[in-house]
């Protein structure tokens, strides 16, 4: 187990050491894991190419660290509690020993299907234990998992399968989500019909058991492939810098890119941050409400808790089903002690009214956490008062898909809190603020673009199949710095407050969505000529999606047209990217070089049209007034 900081004084000491001597610091943490072969060199790096290698020459298997090494001491301890969506189904409890057996068995099944080290496997599944088992089974045999959130459309899944050239897809029959029963496997059928030639087989887990069409020779049932397979499987030793997984995420431009994380560094950082931020104790029941389809689920539903030997709860459903008291009911029933969720969920449940919390007894709660987007004052205080009863520290954890683990966050019960601030960097993290000219802004009470100056073990290594894109996106904006895409403020005490994205990424309900992606989708809708998408403040989602659309003909049935736009976005990306507002406009404000002036569109979307700045340099300044006028009517 990595070391656990116990006091503020110790944090400052450890932090100083981690900056003065990062290699010694991470070396000490890495030694606490099981390695098949020790590393020769702790770190080799430059941010120029970029080329970053941690624990060079080391060999390991992350699942031996998640499972095997706990068997002796924690074999009978529950590793995973599964709370199904449907209250009529029973919760499942899986011990470390059982999980080890199930992972080994499925790993053997994958091997029997010809999956080898380095092969890519796409996992498109609802939140069931088999999702975690599939992820870990891939890691067991050195295959690279690419989990795709089960809410993405067939087009999106197919793009991701093709980009990573996956040979196997693992899916489920249906996703039981709130009152809905979503045909997940059918989405895969549609995706594969779009020409995913690399895919040999589809393994289908029976979740709800509803009727399903299987394709002869291609589709295999999970229960059939595991039949007769042994519950032990020697883990494949992989190199520290071999790829562990690909996870697609949206950026300012183009299609989502495959963020690549590697084995050794990710393992060390995941466990260290999980243990320290949540101040894990024996007997904790930890619950992270994210989906495994996002990085939070990878790092803090599966890998972090298992590496730390903790008991983690996984929830299949949604916060409002069967009613807005579901989260609190689960906390009460399973005696959850650490609860980690997103501000958007807090806002939605706060809006549902206090009656859902009243009468619940949640004395087990010890620590609360948030992630994914800036939390607003009102939501923070509600969370603190109604859920934490003012006795549970709230850790506001800032990080990203690319960082692999939490970066700026309080240590629960140790770092003095300020509402809505992510507070201080974790050991090993060296943040800085930079101005538009790339100069570092020193001192406190300042604001700028958030960068990181030095590598941490789980930093992004590349974007799959396109290293240049990785360099361009993260390492080219500011010399010798990793650029996060976020703006931040450092207050008088040196505490960080994350303001939000400074690029063309919108954060909708904690989900990252690229404006360019949504525009590309909208442009495929009937009668659309061009579009521009911006974010605007939204009470529940944090940010909503506002789309300005130019049409090829005057639209008589506006409602039908807008429905066409939403349907197209759902088909191209998925329901999470559906615009909240679609405004038909005669033109878009453009600079003389043809660039859309999003700044103006953002202001209009926010409803703040009093000061739009200088519009005289526009190619078509008159269009601004027309957009303003048509906003008033619709
Ligand atoms: O803008 C920041 C916001 O979410 C972005 C990263 O999104 P993603 O890669 O999907 O990962 C989300 C889960 C780690 C960041 O660039 N963000 C994340 N956490 C916070 C946050 N904004 C403010 N406060 C946070 N705690």
């Amino acid at each position: 187990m990595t070391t656990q900081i116990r006091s503020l004084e110790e944090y400052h000491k450890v932090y100083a050491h981690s900056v003065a001597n990062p290699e010694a610091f991470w070396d000490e943490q890495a030694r606490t894991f099981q390695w098949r072969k020790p590393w020769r060199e702790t770190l080799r790096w430059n941010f120029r190419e970029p080329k970053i290698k941690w624990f060079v020459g080391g060999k390991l298997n992350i699942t031996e660290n998640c499972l095997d090494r706990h068997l002796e001491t924690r074999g009978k301890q529950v590793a995973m509690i599964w709370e199904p969506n449907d209250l009529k189904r029973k919760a499942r409890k899986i011990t470390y020993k059982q999980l080890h057996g199930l992972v080994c068995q499925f790993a053997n099944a994958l091997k029997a299907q010809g999956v080898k080290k380095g092969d890519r496997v796409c996992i498109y599944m609802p939140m069931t234990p088999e999702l975690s088992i599939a992820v870990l089974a891939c890691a067991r045999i050195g295959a690279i998992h690419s989990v795709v959130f089960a809410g993405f459309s067939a087009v999106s899944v197919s793009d991701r399968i093709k980009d990573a050239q996956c040979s196997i897809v693992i899916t489920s029959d249906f996703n039981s989500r709130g009152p809905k029963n979503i045909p997940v496997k059918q989405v895969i059928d549609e995706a594969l019909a779009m020409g995913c030639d690399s895919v040999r087989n589809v393994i289908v887990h029976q979740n709800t058991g509803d009727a399903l069409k299987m394709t002869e020779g291609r589709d295999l049932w999970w229960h059939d492939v595991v039949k007769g397979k042994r519950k032990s499987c020697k883990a494949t030793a992989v190199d520290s810098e071999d790829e562990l997984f690909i996870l697609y995420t949206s950026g300012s431009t183009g299609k989502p890119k495959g963020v690549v994380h590697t084995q050794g560094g990710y393992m060390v950082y995941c466990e260290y941050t999980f243990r320290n931020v949540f101040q894990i104790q024996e007997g904790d029941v930890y619950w992270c409400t994210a989906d495994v389809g996002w990085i939070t689920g990878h790092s803090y539903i599966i890998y972090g808790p298992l590496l730390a030997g903790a008991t983690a709860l996984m929830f299949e459903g949604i916060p409002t089903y069967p009613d807005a008291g579901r989260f609190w009911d689960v906390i009460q029933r399973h005696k959850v002690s650490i609860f980690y969720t997103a501000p958007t969920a807090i806002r939605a449940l706060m809006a549902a009214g206090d009656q859902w919390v009243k009468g619940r007894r949640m004395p087990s709660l010890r620590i609360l956490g948030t992630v994914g987007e800036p939390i607003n004052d009102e939501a923070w205080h509600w969370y603190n008062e109604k859920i934490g009863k003012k006795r549970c520290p709230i850790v506001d954890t800032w990080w990203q898909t690319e960082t692999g683990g939490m970066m700026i966050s309080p240590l629960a019960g140790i770092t003095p809190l300020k509402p809505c601030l992510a507070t201080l960097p974790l050991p090993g993290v060296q943040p800085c603020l930079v101005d538009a000219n790339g100069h570092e802004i020193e001192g406190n009470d300042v604001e700028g673009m958030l960068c990181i100056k030095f590598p941490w073990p789980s930093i992004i290594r590349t974007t799959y199949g396109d290293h240049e894109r990785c360099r361009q996106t993260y390492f080219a904006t500011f010399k010798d710095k990793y650029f996060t895409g976020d703006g931040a403020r450092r207050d008088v005490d040196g505490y960080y407050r994350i303001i939000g994205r400074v690029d063309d990424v919108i954060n909708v309900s904690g989900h990252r969505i690229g404006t360019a992606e949504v525009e590309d989708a909208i442009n495929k809708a009937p009668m659309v000529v061009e579009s521009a998408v911006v974010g605007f403040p939204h009470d529940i989602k944090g940010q909503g999606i506002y789309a300005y659309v130019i049409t090829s003909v005057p639209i008589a049935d506006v409602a039908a047209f807008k429905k066409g736009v939403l349907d197209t976005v759902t088909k191209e990306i998925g329901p999470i990217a559906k615009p909240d507002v679609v405004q038909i406009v005669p033109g878009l404000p453009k600079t003389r070089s043809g660039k859309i002036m999003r700044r103006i569109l953002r202001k209009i979307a926010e409803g703040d049209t009093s000061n739009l700045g200088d519009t005289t340099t526009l190619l078509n300044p008159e269009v601004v007034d027309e957009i303003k006028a048509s906003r008033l009517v619709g």
Side-chain angles (χ1 to χ4, degrees), residues 92-117:
R92 264 169 84 182
K93 289 188 177 171
I94 304 174
T95 64
Y96 271 90
K97 179 149 191 309
Q98 288 166 335
L99 186 60
H100 176 263
L102 292 166
V103 168
C104 285
Q105 190 179 39
F106 194 62
N108 284 325
L110 288 178
K111 274 209 259 187
Q113 293 308 316
V115 181
K116 296 184 304 296
K117 176 172 180 279

Side-chain angles (χ1 to χ4, degrees), residues 123 125-135 147 291-292 302 314:
I123 302 176
M125 295 175 90
M127 288 283 286
T128 54
E130 283 70 22
L131 167 52
S132 302
I133 292 166
V135 162
V147 180
D291 192 288
V292 170
I302 301 184
M314 180 194 228

Side-chain angles (χ1 to χ4, degrees), residues 205-495:
H205 171 248
Q206 205 166 36
N207 181 32
T208 65
D210 293 275
L212 193 68
K213 185 176 132 283
M214 296 288 272
T215 302
E216 183 81 39
R218 186 195 72 187
D219 299 350
L220 307 160
W221 286 111
W222 177 297
H223 51 260
D224 286 337
V225 296
V226 297
K227 217 173 265 164
K229 296 290 180 297
R230 293 180 48 204
K231 289 204 164 177
S232 65
C233 168
K234 189 164 166 40
T236 303
V238 295
D239 195 273
S240 278
E241 283 301 331
D242 277 341
E243 293 165 354
L244 172 63
F245 66 84
I246 306 170
L247 185 57
Y248 287 84
T249 192
S250 297
S252 292
T253 55
K255 294 236 184 225
K257 47 193 173 294
V259 170
V260 172
H261 283 291
T262 57
Q263 307 272 350
Y266 177 80
M267 171 178 78
V268 173
Y269 196 75
C270 227
E271 203 264 359
Y272 183 79
T273 49
F274 177 75
R275 170 175 304 287
N276 278 281
V277 168
F278 294 119
Q279 289 291 303
I280 293 301
Q281 291 175 1
E282 288 299 329
D284 270 328
V285 175
Y286 159 87
W287 179 21
C288 166
T289 69
D291 192 288
V292 170
W294 313 111
I295 191 68
T296 309
H298 280 61
S299 300
Y300 301 114
I301 292 179
I302 301 184
Y303 287 114
L306 291 176
L307 287 164
T311 297
L313 189 142
M314 180 194 228
F315 176 45
E316 184 185 28
I318 56 171
T320 49
Y321 181 79
D323 57 49
R326 185 66 188 267
F327 274 5
W328 324 130
D329 168 51
V330 172
I331 292 174
Q332 182 175 335
R333 262 190 300 121
H334 293 290
K335 301 192 170 48
V336 171
S337 56
I338 305 174
F339 180 65
Y340 190 31
T341 194
T344 188
I346 299 169
R347 286 191 297 265
L349 296 175
M350 181 173 75
D354 291 355
Q355 70 269 29
W356 301 107
V357 189
K358 275 193 198 125
R360 301 272 178 208
R361 287 192 32 80
M362 299 184 274
S364 56
L365 275 180
R366 193 165 72 77
I367 287 159
L368 301 175
T370 73
V371 60
E373 46 173 330
I375 185 165
N376 50 309
D377 226 51
E378 198 191 351
W380 195 96
H381 285 287
W382 186 83
Y383 198 31
N384 183 37
E385 284 158 29
K386 303 289 183 227
I387 308 305
K389 307 278 186 230
K390 293 193 182 165
R391 55 170 192 82
C392 303
I394 299 177
V395 289
D396 179 349
T397 65
W398 172 83
W399 57 296
Q400 311 178 293
T401 306
E402 295 85 345
T403 69
M406 301 183 270
M407 298 288 282
I408 302 181
S409 169
L411 305 180
I414 291 176
T415 314
L417 301 177
K418 288 189 194 180
C420 313
L421 269 71
T423 74
L424 298 169
L426 297 178
V429 176
Q430 301 187 29
C432 64
L433 298 177
V434 170
D435 66 20
N437 300 318
H439 296 129
E440 201 176 320
I441 306 167
E442 307 279 350
N444 288 343
D445 200 11
V446 288
E447 204 172 298
M449 283 174 278
L450 181 62
C451 293
I452 317 284
K453 290 197 276 194
F454 193 87
W456 60 101
S458 63
I459 185 174
I460 178 175
R461 298 303 197 271
T462 190
T463 43
Y464 194 79
D466 191 351
H467 193 63
E468 174 57 15
R469 190 164 178 205
C470 172
R471 190 188 71 80
Q472 279 284 345
T473 313
Y474 307 105
F475 299 93
T477 319
F478 303 113
K479 189 167 176 283
D480 288 332
K481 290 180 180 70
Y482 165 83
F483 176 43
T484 63
D486 281 320
R489 225 194 126 64
R490 191 165 51 226
D491 80 356
V492 285
D493 296 318
Y495 272 31

